[in-house]
Amino acid sequence: MPTDSTSPTKTQPAPLTGGSALVRLGGIGIVLLSVAGAFLYLGGWFTPNALTPARFADEFERVDGIYSGFRRNHAKGVCVSGFFESNGQGERLSKAAVFRTGRVRVIGRFSLSGGDPYVADAPDTVRGLGLLFWLPDGEEWRTAMINLPVFPVNTPQGFFDRLVATQPDAKTHKPDPEKMAAFLASHPETVEAVKIIKSHAVSSGFDNSGYNGLNAFRFIDAGGKSIPVRWALVPVQPFEAASTTGTAQGDKNYLFYGLIVSILQHPLQWHLIITLGQPGDPTDDASVPWPEGRDQMDVGTLTLDSVESEETSPARDINFDPLVLPAGITPSDDPLLSARSAVYSQSFTRRAGEKKEPSAITPSDVRK
Amino acid sequence: MTTEQRQFNASMRFLHWLMAAMVLTMLGIGVAMVASISDYHRLVSIHRPLGILILILVVIRFVNRRFSSLPPFPASMSSQERFVASASEILLYALLFVQPLVGWGMLSAARYPIVLFGSVHLPPILPHSVMLYAVLRRTHTVLAYLLFLTFIAHFGAILFHTLIVRDGMFSRMAPWRVRAS
């Protein structure tokens, strides 16, 4: 019974016997420990082998080493800026402000895959383009695309296992081919994806390369109707096949220097092409292309007219998280999307607090 | 005839239990999302607006408390116990106010858009600085664990008073109305 503080003696219950007090005390202990245990369970303390963003970042660090202040993947890069000019076509598909006729400011970052920010440029290294569109009402659209036609894996676990298979051997300092063979044996989707990737000609530079979103998303129109989409940037710059002779590759930064020369000569442009999925097209598997003949819509042109070293650009300190989306674009059921968001965030948090070392492409490299 | 107030008033009790549910949910989501791959995005999308809602509610609750009369401590509590109880209450209020602000601030410093839902978003409250983000991100974790420990201490103290001392401590904040005996 509640105690009346003005007359405590009247309603004070009889004191507990030592035994029953002990039982109650034990009960309280169990309740508190259970609550704390539930909290730790949610935090993954009892499942140390579960895949977590931290384990992904650890594995990137194991494969390529830790470079202070750099992204754990796509570490080597250069920053750009420009604008996106929407032609208004996309408005029928998505209510996102970016598709209204007009211009929005864009910053971005070209990169090469891998965790080594000083790696030598090579034609087969995956090229990335991260973009941030500043929409007029303060919203943002961020996307991170690569030049591959499909993604080599279709689940976070597949990505992790493939990364582990590329880890250099302690003795040889090279990946163990047997590990990769074992990975491929249990991942037929990667075997299929690699066939498509190999059949896709690589261009000579960043400027005449296409960049693909790969993961499916959903566009939501003004009436609330949702359709699955994939997007890609198709270069206006004419295609030229990557040199296989190695002459162009004399400099370890030749791809980045080529981009700088090109962008300083004239603004670079890409068409933003939206591919519309149909019922039955897989939205949860980035390793599989959608069937030929899907409707495609050119919704506008990206123009990049300025290039900067990471050291002077705000884009270095931006996380090109593919799930920073404006109203009108939502994630699909592709499990890679949430994983990318989680792992990018982990990489961003780790590098944020580190001392920033100079980038391979320095401020003096981007001057005319 | 004067009857002494036994319970916190209905609005205080309502805010207490509403926020208790929200804060516990929030602590669970927070600790789960940082270790999560497949649910990360869904959890972050709840975490942000829920945090801002807690910030708004804690301000309302603080003001409401200032304008409410409070029941006295049970006579069973010593002056030291009363001091500890008051101090822990201040600590809880401070954490519930500061923690969402640190979250908002760290997203600002990282230049993440602070999306609540749809196109509704908050402005940044700090300049773009990843070093500042790194400090605030760590602070957010430390404060979350501190908040959880403070909650455990609060919960444990109430259980102790209610079940061992049996001074009716719980009835002061019981969600239902407790009549004088």
Side-chain angles (χ1 to χ4, degrees):
Chain A
M1 288 300 101
T3 304
D4 185 339
S5 65
T6 56
S7 51
T9 46
K10 263 193 285 180
T11 50
Q12 191 77 39
L16 289 168
T17 63
S20 83
L22 217 57
V23 168
R24 288 180 177 216
L25 211 53
I28 292 172
I30 289 169
V31 168
L32 295 183
L33 280 176
S34 308
V35 175
F39 183 71
L40 296 178
Y41 168 78
L42 285 173
W45 289 52
F46 305 131
T47 47
N49 295 321
L51 208 48
T52 62
R55 284 189 65 213
F56 263 100
D58 289 346
E59 194 53 39
F60 275 116
E61 291 174 355
R62 225 168 275 139
V63 171
D64 288 308
I66 302 175
Y67 293 90
S68 178
F70 287 97
R71 286 163 163 82
R72 288 333 188 222
N73 191 15
H74 284 265
K76 186 179 188 181
V78 71
C79 301
V80 288
S81 58
F83 56 89
F84 173 72
E85 182 124 30
S86 166
N87 58 23
Q89 291 292 312
E91 246 189 313
R92 286 193 286 127
L93 303 174
S94 167
K95 64 183 176 187
V98 69
F99 298 122
R100 286 176 214 146
T101 308
R103 254 181 206 202
V104 297
R105 208 155 66 81
V106 170
I107 60 167
R109 180 176 177 274
F110 285 97
S111 63
L112 289 179
S113 77
D116 179 355
Y118 307 109
V119 70
D121 296 357
D124 287 339
T125 310
V126 175
R127 297 167 198 169
L129 174 57
L131 292 173
L132 186 167
F133 300 71
W134 271 297
L135 310 192
D137 47 6
E139 277 189 290
E140 287 184 15
W141 178 26
R142 299 185 189 182
T143 177
M145 302 189 268
I146 55 176
N147 67 330
L148 299 184
V150 288
F151 206 60
V153 293
N154 58 10
T155 60
Q157 188 69 52
F159 191 103
F160 185 81
D161 293 344
R162 184 166 172 270
L163 193 58
V164 171
T166 64
Q167 192 178 313
D169 186 86
K171 286 187 195 128
T172 63
H173 301 290
K174 280 186 179 156
D176 180 350
E178 276 180 35
K179 279 188 187 163
M180 186 47 89
F183 171 81
L184 291 174
S186 59
H187 288 270
E189 77 282 3
T190 304
V191 176
E192 287 306 306
V194 168
K195 278 185 209 159
I196 297 168
I197 292 166
K198 289 265 190 307
S199 70
H200 182 86
V202 176
S203 76
S204 60
F206 279 111
D207 58 346
N208 57 5
S209 199
Y211 298 92
N212 302 302
L214 301 184
N215 301 115
F217 288 81
R218 301 193 78 87
F219 275 6
I220 315 293
D221 72 11
K225 199 163 77 69
S226 148
I227 53 155
V229 296
R230 279 173 164 173
W231 54 70
L233 285 170
V234 175
V236 171
Q237 293 71 237
F239 179 85
E240 193 186 318
S243 154
T244 49
T245 59
T247 48
Q249 301 157 32
D251 194 289
K252 67 181 289 195
N253 298 326
Y254 83 96
L255 281 172
F256 286 96
Y257 290 161
L259 171 69
I260 293 164
V261 168
S262 178
I263 208 168
L264 291 178
Q265 280 168 355
H266 56 84
L268 303 177
Q269 292 194 310
W270 284 262
H271 293 287
L272 179 58
I273 306 294
I274 306 296
T275 302
L276 312 186
Q278 289 190 2
D281 289 348
T283 53
D284 61 351
D285 190 342
S287 72
V288 175
W290 281 347
E292 288 291 320
R294 289 288 174 264
D295 284 344
Q296 293 195 320
M297 187 182 273
D298 181 347
V299 296
T301 306
L302 172 73
T303 301
L304 297 176
D305 54 9
S306 162
V307 60
E308 248 183 287
S309 166
E310 287 199 289
E311 288 163 52
T312 57
S313 168
R316 182 191 67 185
D317 295 341
I318 289 289
N319 172 6
F320 291 99
D321 176 344
L323 291 183
V324 171
L325 300 167
I329 308 178
T330 61
S332 68
D333 55 352
D334 187 337
L336 289 176
L337 282 172
S338 180
R340 287 176 69 190
S341 190
V343 178
Y344 284 33
S345 168
Q346 177 70 212
S347 161
F348 181 78
T349 300
R350 289 191 184 191
R351 69 188 175 92
E354 295 169 346
K355 183 176 179 288
K356 308 293 179 285
E357 298 292 344
S359 294
I361 311 304
T362 64
S364 63
D365 288 332
V366 295
R367 273 183 223 124
K368 247 180 219 191
Chain B
M1 191 177 119
T2 58
T3 50
E4 186 140 358
Q5 186 185 351
R6 300 174 164 281
Q7 278 193 297
F8 291 98
N9 67 39
S11 65
M12 289 184 76
R13 283 176 358 245
F14 174 75
L15 285 168
H16 172 272
W17 290 107
L18 176 67
M19 287 194 70
M22 287 168 69
V23 169
L24 281 182
T25 304
M26 197 61 172
L27 285 167
I29 287 176
V31 77
M33 79 185 193
V34 294
S36 171
I37 293 281
S38 54
D39 295 322
Y40 175 80
H41 180 66
R42 207 169 317 147
L43 293 175
V44 175
S45 306
I46 302 170
H47 194 83
R48 269 186 316 244
L50 192 53
I52 296 302
L53 196 54
I54 288 174
L55 178 62
I56 295 167
L57 282 176
V58 78
V59 172
I60 292 173
R61 189 169 164 196
F62 183 74
V63 172
N64 184 51
R65 188 190 191 284
R66 292 297 298 261
F67 289 101
S68 301
S69 64
L70 310 176
F73 282 119
S76 58
M77 286 175 80
S78 68
S79 62
Q80 289 97 320
E81 274 186 292
R82 290 173 193 211
F83 173 77
V84 171
S86 300
S88 70
E89 191 187 358
I90 291 168
L91 178 63
L92 274 169
Y93 266 100
L95 285 171
L96 293 183
F97 181 69
V98 171
Q99 180 71 333
L101 276 182
V102 170
W104 185 356
M106 79 183 208
L107 293 179
S108 306
R111 265 305 166 273
Y112 286 112
I114 300 123
V115 179
L116 298 185
F117 48 87
S119 61
V120 179
H121 53 268
L122 296 173
I125 52 173
L126 287 173
H128 186 188
S129 158
V130 286
M131 280 295 174
L132 187 57
Y133 163 77
V135 172
L136 292 173
R137 176 66 191 76
R138 216 163 296 140
T139 306
H140 202 60
T141 300
V142 171
L143 292 182
Y145 280 94
L146 185 59
L147 181 54
F148 183 74
L149 290 176
T150 314
F151 156 72
I152 287 287
H154 171 73
F155 187 36
I158 300 304
L159 288 176
F160 181 80
H161 270 273
T162 307
L163 297 174
I164 311 271
V165 184
R166 295 193 288 170
D167 54 6
M169 180 73 88
F170 176 78
S171 65
R172 299 168 85 227
M173 195 50 99
W176 51 86
R177 195 162 159 183
V178 176
R179 297 191 170 276
S181 50

Coordinates of all heavy atoms in Angstrom, one line a residue, chain A residues 186-237:
Chain A
S186 N 31.0 -21.8 -55.3 CA 29.7 -21.7 -54.5 C 28.9 -20.5 -54.9 O 27.9 -20.2 -54.2 CB 30.1 -21.8 -53.0 OG 30.9 -20.7 -52.7
H187 N 29.4 -19.7 -55.8 CA 28.6 -18.5 -56.2 C 28.4 -18.4 -57.7 O 29.1 -17.7 -58.4 CB 29.3 -17.3 -55.7 CG 29.2 -17.1 -54.2 ND1 28.2 -16.4 -53.6 CD2 30.0 -17.6 -53.2 CE1 28.3 -16.4 -52.3 NE2 29.4 -17.1 -52.0
P188 N 27.5 -19.3 -58.3 CA 27.3 -19.3 -59.7 C 26.8 -17.9 -60.2 O 27.1 -17.6 -61.4 CB 26.1 -20.3 -59.9 CG 25.5 -20.5 -58.5 CD 26.6 -20.2 -57.6
E189 N 26.2 -17.1 -59.4 CA 25.8 -15.8 -59.8 C 27.0 -14.9 -60.2 O 26.9 -14.1 -61.1 CB 24.8 -15.1 -58.8 CG 25.5 -14.5 -57.6 CD 25.9 -15.5 -56.5 OE1 25.7 -16.7 -56.7 OE2 26.4 -15.1 -55.5
T190 N 28.1 -15.1 -59.5 CA 29.3 -14.3 -59.7 C 29.9 -14.8 -61.1 O 30.4 -13.9 -61.9 CB 30.3 -14.5 -58.6 OG1 29.7 -14.0 -57.4 CG2 31.5 -13.6 -58.8
V191 N 29.9 -16.1 -61.3 CA 30.4 -16.6 -62.6 C 29.7 -16.0 -63.7 O 30.3 -15.5 -64.7 CB 30.3 -18.2 -62.6 CG1 30.8 -18.7 -63.9 CG2 31.1 -18.8 -61.4
E192 N 28.3 -16.0 -63.6 CA 27.5 -15.4 -64.7 C 27.8 -13.9 -64.9 O 27.9 -13.4 -66.0 CB 26.0 -15.6 -64.4 CG 25.5 -17.0 -64.6 CD 25.9 -17.6 -66.0 OE1 25.5 -16.9 -67.0 OE2 26.5 -18.7 -66.0
A193 N 27.9 -13.2 -63.7 CA 28.1 -11.7 -63.8 C 29.4 -11.4 -64.4 O 29.6 -10.5 -65.2 CB 28.0 -11.2 -62.4
V194 N 30.4 -12.2 -64.1 CA 31.8 -12.0 -64.6 C 31.8 -12.1 -66.1 O 32.5 -11.4 -66.8 CB 32.8 -12.9 -63.9 CG1 34.2 -12.8 -64.6 CG2 33.0 -12.4 -62.4
K195 N 31.0 -13.1 -66.6 CA 30.9 -13.3 -68.1 C 30.4 -12.0 -68.7 O 30.9 -11.6 -69.7 CB 30.0 -14.4 -68.4 CG 30.6 -15.8 -68.3 CD 29.6 -16.9 -68.8 CE 29.8 -18.2 -68.1 NZ 28.6 -19.1 -68.1
I196 N 29.4 -11.5 -68.1 CA 28.8 -10.2 -68.7 C 29.8 -9.1 -68.6 O 30.0 -8.3 -69.5 CB 27.5 -9.9 -67.9 CG1 26.4 -11.0 -68.1 CG2 26.9 -8.5 -68.4 CD1 25.2 -10.9 -67.2
I197 N 30.5 -9.0 -67.4 CA 31.4 -7.9 -67.2 C 32.6 -8.0 -68.2 O 33.0 -7.0 -68.8 CB 32.0 -8.0 -65.8 CG1 30.9 -7.6 -64.8 CG2 33.2 -7.0 -65.6 CD1 31.2 -7.9 -63.3
K198 N 33.1 -9.3 -68.5 CA 34.2 -9.5 -69.4 C 33.8 -9.1 -70.9 O 34.6 -8.7 -71.7 CB 34.6 -10.9 -69.3 CG 35.4 -11.3 -68.0 CD 36.8 -11.2 -68.2 CE 37.7 -11.7 -67.2 NZ 37.8 -11.6 -65.9
S199 N 32.5 -9.3 -71.2 CA 32.1 -9.1 -72.6 C 31.8 -7.6 -72.8 O 31.5 -7.2 -73.9 CB 30.8 -9.8 -72.8 OG 29.7 -9.3 -72.1
H200 N 32.0 -6.8 -71.8 CA 31.7 -5.3 -71.8 C 33.0 -4.6 -72.0 O 33.9 -4.7 -71.2 CB 31.0 -5.0 -70.5 CG 30.6 -3.6 -70.4 ND1 29.4 -3.2 -70.8 CD2 31.2 -2.5 -69.8 CE1 29.2 -1.9 -70.5 NE2 30.3 -1.5 -69.9
A201 N 33.1 -3.9 -73.2 CA 34.4 -3.2 -73.5 C 34.6 -2.0 -72.5 O 33.7 -1.3 -72.2 CB 34.4 -2.7 -74.9
V202 N 35.9 -2.0 -72.0 CA 36.2 -0.9 -71.1 C 36.7 0.3 -71.9 O 37.4 0.2 -72.9 CB 37.3 -1.3 -70.1 CG1 37.8 -0.2 -69.2 CG2 36.8 -2.5 -69.3
S203 N 36.3 1.5 -71.5 CA 36.7 2.7 -72.3 C 38.0 3.2 -71.8 O 38.6 2.7 -70.9 CB 35.6 3.8 -72.1 OG 35.8 4.4 -70.8
S204 N 38.6 4.2 -72.6 CA 39.9 4.6 -72.4 C 40.1 5.5 -71.1 O 41.2 5.7 -70.6 CB 40.4 5.4 -73.6 OG 39.6 6.5 -73.8
G205 N 39.0 6.1 -70.7 CA 39.2 7.0 -69.5 C 37.9 7.1 -68.7 O 36.9 6.5 -69.0
F206 N 38.0 8.0 -67.6 CA 36.8 8.3 -66.8 C 35.8 9.0 -67.6 O 34.6 8.9 -67.4 CB 37.2 9.2 -65.6 CG 37.9 8.4 -64.5 CD1 39.2 8.6 -64.2 CD2 37.1 7.6 -63.7 CE1 39.8 8.0 -63.1 CE2 37.7 6.9 -62.6 CZ 39.0 7.1 -62.3
D207 N 36.3 9.9 -68.5 CA 35.3 10.8 -69.2 C 34.4 10.1 -70.2 O 33.3 10.6 -70.4 CB 36.1 12.0 -69.9 CG 37.2 11.4 -70.9 OD1 37.4 10.2 -70.9 OD2 37.7 12.3 -71.7
N208 N 34.9 9.1 -70.9 CA 34.0 8.4 -71.9 C 33.5 7.1 -71.3 O 33.2 6.2 -72.1 CB 34.8 8.2 -73.2 CG 36.1 7.4 -73.0 OD1 36.4 7.0 -72.0 ND2 36.8 7.3 -74.1
S209 N 33.4 7.0 -70.0 CA 32.9 5.8 -69.4 C 31.5 6.0 -69.0 O 31.1 7.1 -68.6 CB 33.8 5.5 -68.1 OG 33.7 4.2 -67.7
G210 N 30.7 4.9 -69.1 CA 29.3 5.0 -68.5 C 29.4 4.5 -67.1 O 30.3 3.9 -66.6
Y211 N 28.4 5.0 -66.3 CA 28.4 4.6 -64.9 C 27.0 4.1 -64.6 O 26.0 4.8 -65.0 CB 28.7 5.8 -64.0 CG 30.2 6.3 -64.3 CD1 30.5 7.2 -65.2 CD2 31.2 5.6 -63.6 CE1 31.8 7.6 -65.5 CE2 32.6 6.0 -63.9 CZ 32.8 7.0 -64.8 OH 34.1 7.3 -65.1
N212 N 26.9 3.0 -63.9 CA 25.6 2.3 -63.7 C 25.3 2.3 -62.2 O 26.1 1.9 -61.4 CB 25.6 0.9 -64.2 CG 26.0 0.9 -65.7 OD1 25.3 1.5 -66.5 ND2 27.1 0.3 -66.1
G213 N 24.0 2.5 -61.9 CA 23.5 2.5 -60.5 C 23.4 1.0 -60.0 O 23.6 0.8 -58.8
L214 N 23.2 0.1 -60.9 CA 23.1 -1.4 -60.7 C 22.0 -1.8 -59.8 O 21.2 -2.6 -60.1 CB 24.5 -1.9 -60.2 CG 25.6 -1.7 -61.1 CD1 26.9 -2.4 -60.6 CD2 25.4 -2.2 -62.5
N215 N 22.0 -1.3 -58.5 CA 20.9 -1.7 -57.7 C 19.6 -1.1 -58.2 O 19.5 0.0 -58.7 CB 21.1 -1.1 -56.2 CG 22.4 -1.7 -55.6 OD1 23.3 -0.9 -55.4 ND2 22.5 -2.9 -55.4
A216 N 18.5 -1.8 -58.0 CA 17.2 -1.3 -58.4 C 16.7 -0.4 -57.3 O 17.0 -0.6 -56.1 CB 16.2 -2.4 -58.6
F217 N 15.9 0.6 -57.7 CA 15.2 1.5 -56.8 C 13.8 1.6 -57.2 O 13.4 0.9 -58.2 CB 15.8 2.9 -56.8 CG 17.2 3.0 -56.2 CD1 18.3 2.6 -56.9 CD2 17.4 3.5 -54.9 CE1 19.6 2.7 -56.3 CE2 18.6 3.6 -54.3 CZ 19.8 3.1 -55.0
R218 N 13.0 2.4 -56.5 CA 11.6 2.6 -56.9 C 11.3 4.1 -57.0 O 11.8 4.8 -56.2 CB 10.6 1.9 -55.9 CG 10.8 0.4 -55.7 CD 9.6 -0.2 -55.0 NE 8.5 -0.4 -55.9 CZ 8.4 -1.5 -56.6 NH1 9.2 -2.5 -56.6 NH2 7.3 -1.6 -57.4
F219 N 10.7 4.4 -58.1 CA 10.2 5.8 -58.3 C 8.8 5.9 -57.9 O 8.0 5.0 -58.2 CB 10.3 6.2 -59.8 CG 11.7 6.7 -60.2 CD1 12.8 6.7 -59.3 CD2 11.9 7.2 -61.5 CE1 14.0 7.1 -59.7 CE2 13.2 7.7 -61.9 CZ 14.2 7.7 -61.0
I220 N 8.5 6.9 -57.2 CA 7.1 7.1 -56.7 C 6.6 8.4 -57.4 O 7.2 9.5 -57.2 CB 7.0 7.3 -55.2 CG1 7.9 6.3 -54.4 CG2 5.6 7.3 -54.7 CD1 7.4 4.9 -54.5
D221 N 5.5 8.3 -58.1 CA 5.0 9.5 -58.8 C 4.1 10.3 -57.9 O 3.8 9.9 -56.8 CB 4.3 9.1 -60.2 CG 3.0 8.4 -60.0 OD1 2.5 8.4 -58.9 OD2 2.5 7.9 -61.0
A222 N 3.6 11.4 -58.4 CA 2.8 12.4 -57.6 C 1.5 11.7 -57.1 O 1.0 12.0 -56.0 CB 2.4 13.6 -58.4
G223 N 1.0 10.7 -57.8 CA -0.2 10.0 -57.4 C 0.1 8.8 -56.5 O -0.8 8.1 -56.1
G224 N 1.4 8.6 -56.1 CA 1.7 7.5 -55.2 C 2.0 6.2 -55.9 O 2.3 5.2 -55.3
K225 N 2.0 6.2 -57.2 CA 2.3 5.0 -58.0 C 3.8 4.7 -58.0 O 4.6 5.6 -58.1 CB 1.7 5.1 -59.4 CG 1.6 3.7 -60.1 CD 0.7 3.8 -61.3 CE 1.4 4.4 -62.5 NZ 2.4 3.6 -63.2
S226 N 4.1 3.4 -57.8 CA 5.5 3.1 -57.6 C 6.0 2.1 -58.8 O 5.2 1.2 -59.1 CB 5.7 2.4 -56.3 OG 6.7 1.4 -56.3
I227 N 7.1 2.4 -59.4 CA 7.7 1.5 -60.4 C 9.1 1.2 -60.1 O 9.9 2.1 -59.6 CB 7.5 2.0 -61.8 CG1 8.1 3.4 -62.0 CG2 6.1 1.9 -62.3 CD1 8.5 3.6 -63.4
P228 N 9.6 0.0 -60.4 CA 11.0 -0.3 -60.2 C 11.8 0.3 -61.3 O 11.4 0.3 -62.5 CB 11.1 -1.9 -60.3 CG 9.9 -2.3 -61.0 CD 8.8 -1.2 -60.8
V229 N 13.0 0.8 -61.0 CA 13.9 1.5 -62.0 C 15.3 1.1 -61.7 O 15.7 0.7 -60.6 CB 13.7 3.0 -62.0 CG1 12.4 3.5 -62.3 CG2 14.1 3.6 -60.6
R230 N 16.1 1.3 -62.7 CA 17.6 1.3 -62.6 C 18.1 2.5 -63.3 O 17.4 2.9 -64.3 CB 18.2 0.0 -63.2 CG 18.2 -1.2 -62.2 CD 18.7 -2.4 -62.9 NE 18.9 -3.5 -62.0 CZ 19.3 -4.7 -62.3 NH1 19.4 -5.0 -63.6 NH2 19.5 -5.6 -61.4
W231 N 19.2 3.1 -62.9 CA 19.6 4.3 -63.6 C 21.1 4.1 -64.0 O 21.8 3.3 -63.5 CB 19.4 5.6 -62.8 CG 20.0 5.6 -61.5 CD1 21.3 5.7 -61.1 CD2 19.2 5.7 -60.3 NE1 21.4 5.7 -59.8 CE2 20.2 5.7 -59.2 CE3 17.9 5.7 -60.0 CZ2 19.8 5.8 -57.9 CZ3 17.5 5.8 -58.6 CH2 18.4 5.8 -57.6
A232 N 21.4 4.9 -65.1 CA 22.8 4.8 -65.6 C 23.1 6.2 -66.2 O 22.3 6.9 -66.7 CB 22.9 3.8 -66.7
L233 N 24.4 6.5 -66.2 CA 24.9 7.7 -66.9 C 25.6 7.3 -68.1 O 26.5 6.5 -68.1 CB 25.9 8.5 -66.0 CG 25.3 9.2 -64.8 CD1 26.4 9.7 -63.9 CD2 24.4 10.4 -65.3
V234 N 25.1 7.8 -69.3 CA 25.7 7.4 -70.6 C 26.5 8.6 -71.1 O 25.9 9.7 -71.3 CB 24.6 7.0 -71.5 CG1 25.1 6.7 -72.9 CG2 23.8 5.8 -71.0
P235 N 27.8 8.4 -71.4 CA 28.6 9.5 -71.7 C 28.3 10.1 -73.1 O 28.0 9.4 -74.0 CB 30.0 8.9 -71.7 CG 29.8 7.5 -72.0 CD 28.5 7.1 -71.4
V236 N 28.4 11.5 -73.2 CA 28.3 12.1 -74.5 C 29.6 12.0 -75.2 O 29.7 11.9 -76.4 CB 27.9 13.6 -74.2 CG1 28.0 14.4 -75.5 CG2 26.5 13.7 -73.6
Q237 N 30.7 12.0 -74.4 CA 32.0 11.9 -75.0 C 32.1 10.5 -75.7 O 31.7 9.5 -75.2 CB 33.1 11.9 -73.9 CG 33.3 13.2 -73.1 CD 32.1 13.6 -72.2 OE1 31.5 14.6 -72.4 NE2 31.8 12.7 -71.3

